[in-house]
Amino acid sequence: MAVLKDVFPSLAEVPAEWQLNGFIEQREYLVGGELCTWQGEMNEVMSPVSFSDGDRVKKNIIGSTPLLTEKESMQALDAAVLAYNNGTGEWPTMSLSNRIAHVEQFLMEMKKQRTAVVKLLMWEIGKNLPDSEKEFDRTTIYIEDTIRELKRIDRSNSKFENEEGVIAQVRRVPLGVALCMGPYNYPLNETFTTLIPALVMGNTIVFKPAKYGVLFIKPLLNVFRDCFPKGVINIIYGRGRETVGVLMESGKIDVFAFIGTNKGASEIKKLHPKPHRLRSVLGLDAKNPAIILPDADLDITVSECVAGSLSFNGQRCTALKIIFVQEEIAERFLAKFIPAVNKLKVGMPWEDGVKITPLPEPGKTEYLTGLVKDAEYFGAAVINENGGEVNDTFFYPAVLYPVNAQMKVYTEEQFGPVVPVVPYKNIEEVIDYVVQSNFGQQLSIFGNDPKQIAHLIDELANQVGRININAQCQRGPDVFPFNGRKDSAEGTLSVADALRAFSIRILISTKDNAANKAIVQTIVKEHQSNYLRLDYIF
Ligand code: G3H
């Protein structure tokens, strides 16, 4: 063990401002506007940040969360169903400007919890400080943008159309009860980018936090309780099979917002007794390739490929998970890529300039070691010094070369710091890889020849949701559509698209005659309806 030997700190070495100050026992869950206290079995929260204890590394249990049962899960669902009340509840019928006011209140209170949330993100999922702060800030900006976009949509709907003798107005209304589940890598951002649009559109929610990245909700529980009418948002904890299955089997979930694996999503979705009643908004697996053409600018390519494959240790759905490099420039690329990987600082999430941090998933380092061994068996080598070294939850990035189709890492989503590099002779080999892949989220092309890039765009535009030129794959900016094909996604998210995903249009129409016009005019003039109206929300 070389580079990772002393990577973990002792408790005393953790800077005072990031100390946790004790075990966090989190027994509360939110149902029907009440914070209930769970007295049953608890789930231990193990931090990826272990402690050094002399020559040993000690696991670090930082807290615990409830392991609720089907009973509490159903209570949460019943509260959401009651608050929706077949679309007649206070929340779904509330005027849009009042719903927005609730979300604005929530946002204001949420911002006060920034430090507490950021600290817990570092301890629970090992995300470094700048990225944890960015996750928080990006989420608050997303909420502000959502409110702005919703007002814009509402203003543009504040009019009547008159077509073929039919006068009509179109508005957007909620779908019903939404089940929102997020991923551990962006437990705040990716969850809230479905939960907030679902809420503000008038749906009621059952929210189950991700597997890891759970304690950080604790500082927000009161905020959720205080900012929304009872039953509008319900927060449950526990194992998926005990808490989520029963919800879906009830047939009372109308929208399923889930970020995770396609296998997990399919298992839950198929439990719904009336599949046509369920709308799904899913962000799933990906194996985004980088395609490096012979004339690529290697400085740009290397910096984008390092960030693309190893930001947050490669634990991004949008990460570059396989790099195809034209064999003529493979050596030159690797000669720059390897030193750039080796420059990434390893350490604890709060340390200055740290890029590579410990991994939150139990068993992950063993899985990644297995991938490396499998690739070695089929002829690849780890070509960077210390690559694949493990210390407890830490895995030093491994660059594998030359990777081929026999290896698991060629098709499997590693979701971690293993970077497979495949040399190719003919671009058709890469096109074939993308076409045959089970996933279709994004890809990156690195090159300078417009003709060749245009050819690739045209070959691959029907395979993925986004093609990046001389840039890594990424979700943002959030105003752009974020989606995927095949097993990578269902539906499209962006600030505007999410509002559409969690709503349906209601058309209110009448035949164009004097009597009907008079009725409509009276309703509008006297502000008799929340829906049929001409007022503007500024
Ligand atoms: O894990 C998937 C995230 O949505 C990726 O977002 O590309 O901004 O890191 P990002």
Side-chain angles (χ1 to χ4, degrees), residues 127 134 138 183 185-186 189-190 193 259 283-284 288 311-312 314-319 321 413 415 441-442 466 472-478 482:
K127 187 170 275 191
K134 194 169 149 201
R138 177 179 173 184
N185 63 334
Y186 280 89
N189 183 260
E190 291 235 305
T193 54
I259 317 291
L284 307 171
N288 295 345
S311 302
F312 190 34
Q315 299 168 117
R316 293 161 58 226
C317 60
T318 47
K321 300 206 174 92
E413 180 182 20
F415 215 75
Q441 191 198 60
Q442 300 189 17
R466 174 166 169 169
Q472 61 157 313
C473 299
Q474 60 176 43
R475 174 176 177 149
D478 285 321
F482 177 54

Side-chain angles (χ1 to χ4, degrees), residues 145-174:
D145 289 348
T146 296
I147 293 170
R148 200 172 310 116
E149 177 61 19
L150 181 54
K151 289 179 180 173
R152 196 199 60 74
I153 293 174
D154 190 70
R155 282 197 294 270
S156 74
N157 287 337
S158 262
K159 63 181 180 211
F160 286 94
E161 311 277 355
N162 195 338
E163 289 292 331
E164 299 173 33
V166 177
I167 299 173
Q169 189 178 63
V170 181
R171 294 245 172 230
R172 288 205 159 262
V173 291

Side-chain angles (χ1 to χ4, degrees), residues 28-37 225 230-231 233-235:
E28 296 78 36
Y29 60 102
L30 180 62
V31 171
E34 300 286 332
L35 281 184
C36 314
T37 305
R225 181 198 56 192
K230 66 176 186 187
I233 167 97
N234 304 277
I235 304 179

